[in-house]
């Protein structure tokens, strides 16, 4: 009897549950479907989130400057942060850590110090980030209408970013102004000084004082003679300055012809040194009771030097080579010397003989050796006018 009663109650319960399920069948199916959908969506999101992403949507470029000399600027910091963020997610950084990183919160780095597991994941994220590289095909000397490519590349399929190429068309650059190199040379001239065979160019006036930049330069700017041709070049620094201000020079080089240099023999008091050379030689070889000298001037040599760009320290060195024979009661010797003077060139083009310095050599038995020594020291043979 008791067992029948239990069975009866169980049947009633099952019947009521069946009836209840029938009454709410649609709701139950909807709940089950919703749960399944959530599971599918969550799984799909996890799969998507683990896949490499493209950077294209975050890249922003800006073109600045002048047509032909434009530059490209980009939100590099934002791109690098995005790469880091994707790397953190790839490394399974905690939600808290990612949110702190997004907020640029200093607590992010504190979190790494107190949580070794997250610190390890951060190190892994750095490894992922270093797999990603990006560069523009060109970032300077841009012209309107030109197409620039950003190439994103990766070292491994495990990188958090997809390889990608993005094209940007250059636009919005301002119009620039052309400048003639001839006009530039007129405005900032070079100066030719010195003498024929000893000429030199100075660039003191070839300076844009506003920019404080030298405009022209030359590789061979000294030891010039009439008829020489010197290649003047606009300095790279000045070209960059012009471009940054919307100006372009039509040529970078111009030929400069050397002409109008006077001969050193035109120095009015130059030949006054030669008698002084003779006196200097005689003073070093004076006759005595036991030795007599014969002094013969063989030839003369001249050298021009300057260490100041304005020629203020220009010097003329004029020396004479002598054959000096000494005779004693027991022998005769012949030696070769040179004697002369260094004199500064004054502003009026004459030599300052009052402050001239003596120049002399050691004795030599070999005349050719003395000549070779002078030529090695940049002396040239001098012939009186």
């Amino acid at each position: 009897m008791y067992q029948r009663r239990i069975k009866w109650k169980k049947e009633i319960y099952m019947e009521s549950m069946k009836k209840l399920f029938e009454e709410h069948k649609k709701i139950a199916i909807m709940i089950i479907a919703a749960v399944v959908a959530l599971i599918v969506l969550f799984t799909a999101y996890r799969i998507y989130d683990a896949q490499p992403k493209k950077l294209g949507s975050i890249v922003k470029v800006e073109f600045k400057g002048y047509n032909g000399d434009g530059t490209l600027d980009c939100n590099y910091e934002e791109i690098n942060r995005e790469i880091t963020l994707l790397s953190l997610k790839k490394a399974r950084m905690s939600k808290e850590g990612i949110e702190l990183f997004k907020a640029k919160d200093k607590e992010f780095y504190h979190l790494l110090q107190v949580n070794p597991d997250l610190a390890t994941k951060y190190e892994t994220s750095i490894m992922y980030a270093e797999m990603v590289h990006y560069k523009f095909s060109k970032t300077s000397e841009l012209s309107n209408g030109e197409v620039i490519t950003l190439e994103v590349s990766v070292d491994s399929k495990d990188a958090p970013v997809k390889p990608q190429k993005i094209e940007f068309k250059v636009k919005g650059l301002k119009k620039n102004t052309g400048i003639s190199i001839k006009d530039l040379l007129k405005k900032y001239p070079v100066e030719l000084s010195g003498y024929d065979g000893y000429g030199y160019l100075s660039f003191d006036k070839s300076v844009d004082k506003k920019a404080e930049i030298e405009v022209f330069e030359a590789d061979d700017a000294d030891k010039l003679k009439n008829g020489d041709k010197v290649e003047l070049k606009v300095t790279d620094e000045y070209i960059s300055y012009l471009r940054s201000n919307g100006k372009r020079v039509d040529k970078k080089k111009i030929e400069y012809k050397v002409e109008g240099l006077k001969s050193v023999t035109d120095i009015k008091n130059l030949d006054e040194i030669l008698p002084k050379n003779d006196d200097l030689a005689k003073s070093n070889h004076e006759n005595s009771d036991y030795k007599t000298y014969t002094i013969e001037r063989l030839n003369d040599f001249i050298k021009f030097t300057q260490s100041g760009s304005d020629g203020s320290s220009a010097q003329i060195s004029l020396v004479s080579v002598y054959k000096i024979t000494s005779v004693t009661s027991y022998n005769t010797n012949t030696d070769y010397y040179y004697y002369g003077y260094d004199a500064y060139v004054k502003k009026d083009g004459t030599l300052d003989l009052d402050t001239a310095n003596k120049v002399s050599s050691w004795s030599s038995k070999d005349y050719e050796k003395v000549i070779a020594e002078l030529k090695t020291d940049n002396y040239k043979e001098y012939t009186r006018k």
Side-chain angles (χ1 to χ4, degrees):
M1 183 75 177
Y2 177 72
Q3 288 180 347
R4 255 191 279 164
R5 189 178 296 168
I6 292 174
K7 184 178 180 183
W8 176 72
K9 286 182 177 182
K10 186 176 180 181
E11 288 175 354
I12 293 173
Y13 174 76
M14 291 299 293
E15 191 66 28
S16 62
M17 288 300 294
K18 185 177 180 181
K19 186 178 180 182
L20 182 64
F21 179 76
E22 288 294 332
E23 290 176 356
H24 301 284
K25 183 177 181 180
K26 289 184 179 180
I27 296 174
I29 291 172
M30 289 174 66
I31 292 172
I32 293 170
V35 171
V36 171
L38 285 172
I39 293 171
V40 170
L41 284 172
F42 179 74
T43 303
Y45 174 77
R46 290 294 297 271
I47 293 172
Y48 167 78
D49 201 40
Q51 296 300 309
K53 305 296 186 296
K54 288 185 176 182
L55 288 177
S57 60
I58 200 170
V59 178
K60 297 176 183 177
V61 298
E62 183 180 3
F63 300 107
K64 299 178 180 179
Y66 296 85
N67 190 33
D69 294 298
T71 58
L72 179 151
D73 196 11
C74 179
N75 57 332
Y76 293 105
E77 183 178 351
E78 189 177 349
I79 294 171
N80 292 335
R81 283 189 63 80
E82 181 68 13
I83 293 172
T84 303
L85 180 61
L86 293 173
S87 299
L88 288 171
K89 290 180 178 180
K90 178 86 174 174
R92 302 298 182 194
M93 175 59 69
S94 68
K95 184 178 180 181
E96 179 188 6
I98 288 175
E99 291 304 317
L100 287 173
F101 178 79
K102 284 182 179 180
K104 299 182 181 180
D105 197 318
K106 293 181 181 179
E107 284 297 315
F108 172 75
Y109 297 99
H110 176 70
L111 185 66
L112 299 180
Q113 291 176 346
V114 299
N115 191 322
D117 179 57
L118 294 184
T120 300
K121 290 180 178 178
Y122 179 68
E123 290 177 3
T124 303
S125 76
I126 293 176
M127 178 190 70
Y128 286 137
E130 289 176 345
M131 294 178 181
V132 182
H133 313 280
Y134 64 93
K135 68 175 182 178
F136 289 94
S137 56
K138 195 177 178 184
T139 58
S140 61
E141 299 184 3
L142 305 178
S143 301
N144 286 326
E146 192 172 357
V147 176
I148 306 302
T149 303
L150 171 65
E151 182 175 0
V152 182
S153 59
V154 297
D155 296 334
S156 168
K157 63 180 181 180
D158 293 326
V161 171
K162 285 184 178 180
Q164 187 180 10
K165 286 186 178 181
I166 312 166
E167 291 186 343
F168 301 92
K169 190 173 183 178
V170 180
K171 59 183 179 179
L173 297 177
K174 293 178 281 187
K175 186 178 179 180
N176 54 32
T177 305
I179 298 178
S180 164
I181 192 171
K182 290 182 178 180
D183 291 340
L184 207 58
L185 185 58
K186 288 179 183 178
K187 188 174 182 180
Y188 305 106
V190 297
E191 287 188 296
L192 179 64
S193 304
Y195 299 90
D196 191 16
Y198 306 96
Y200 59 92
L201 292 176
S202 59
F203 299 87
D204 289 356
K205 291 186 178 179
S206 183
V207 175
D208 186 327
K209 293 182 179 179
K210 182 180 178 181
E212 296 184 340
I213 300 174
E214 194 169 272
V215 178
F216 287 98
E217 63 183 357
D219 292 331
D220 301 312
D222 58 3
K223 298 179 182 177
L224 301 174
K225 64 181 182 298
N226 289 326
D228 282 348
K229 293 178 180 178
V230 180
E231 186 179 72
L232 298 178
K233 295 179 286 187
V234 183
T235 63
D236 290 340
E237 187 179 6
Y238 196 64
I239 287 175
S240 296
Y241 170 76
L242 289 176
R243 287 180 172 179
S244 67
N245 287 275
K247 299 175 182 178
R248 288 178 71 90
V249 65
D250 59 350
K251 297 178 182 178
K252 293 183 180 180
K253 300 176 182 179
I254 188 171
E255 188 176 84
Y256 178 91
K257 186 176 180 180
V258 177
E259 54 189 3
L261 290 173
K262 293 182 179 181
S263 171
V264 288
T265 58
D266 291 331
I267 297 175
K268 292 179 181 178
N269 59 342
L270 178 63
D271 286 340
E272 292 180 24
I273 293 181
L274 295 176
K276 291 170 68 70
N277 291 354
D278 292 342
D279 292 340
L280 183 58
K282 290 174 184 178
S283 67
N284 281 274
H285 304 278
E286 294 181 343
N287 293 332
S288 65
D289 293 338
Y290 65 91
K291 184 183 288 189
T292 58
Y293 294 94
T294 301
I295 301 173
E296 180 186 359
R297 176 147 53 94
L298 302 177
N299 40 19
D300 307 306
F301 287 82
I302 192 169
K303 178 172 71 170
F304 177 87
T305 56
Q306 61 83 221
S307 56
S309 60
D310 60 357
S312 60
S313 61
Q315 285 181 293
I316 291 288
S317 179
L318 183 58
V319 301
S320 301
V321 177
Y322 294 89
K323 175 183 177 183
I324 298 178
T325 304
S326 62
V327 179
T328 65
S329 58
Y330 53 87
N331 69 359
T332 299
N333 285 317
T334 298
D335 295 286
Y336 297 92
Y337 300 80
Y338 63 78
Y339 291 100
Y341 286 87
D342 278 337
Y344 284 101
V345 181
K346 296 190 290 187
K347 289 184 178 179
D348 64 2
T350 61
L351 298 178
D352 187 355
L353 299 180
D354 294 334
T355 61
N357 296 310
K358 297 174 183 178
V359 179
S360 62
S361 70
W362 298 103
S363 67
S364 175
K365 297 291 184 182
D366 188 345
Y367 167 74
E368 295 298 333
K369 184 178 179 182
V370 175
I371 301 302
E373 179 184 333
L374 288 168
K375 289 183 177 179
T376 300
D377 200 21
N378 295 318
Y379 280 88
K380 295 180 180 179
E381 192 162 2
Y382 169 69
T383 303
R384 295 182 69 172
K385 204 169 182 180

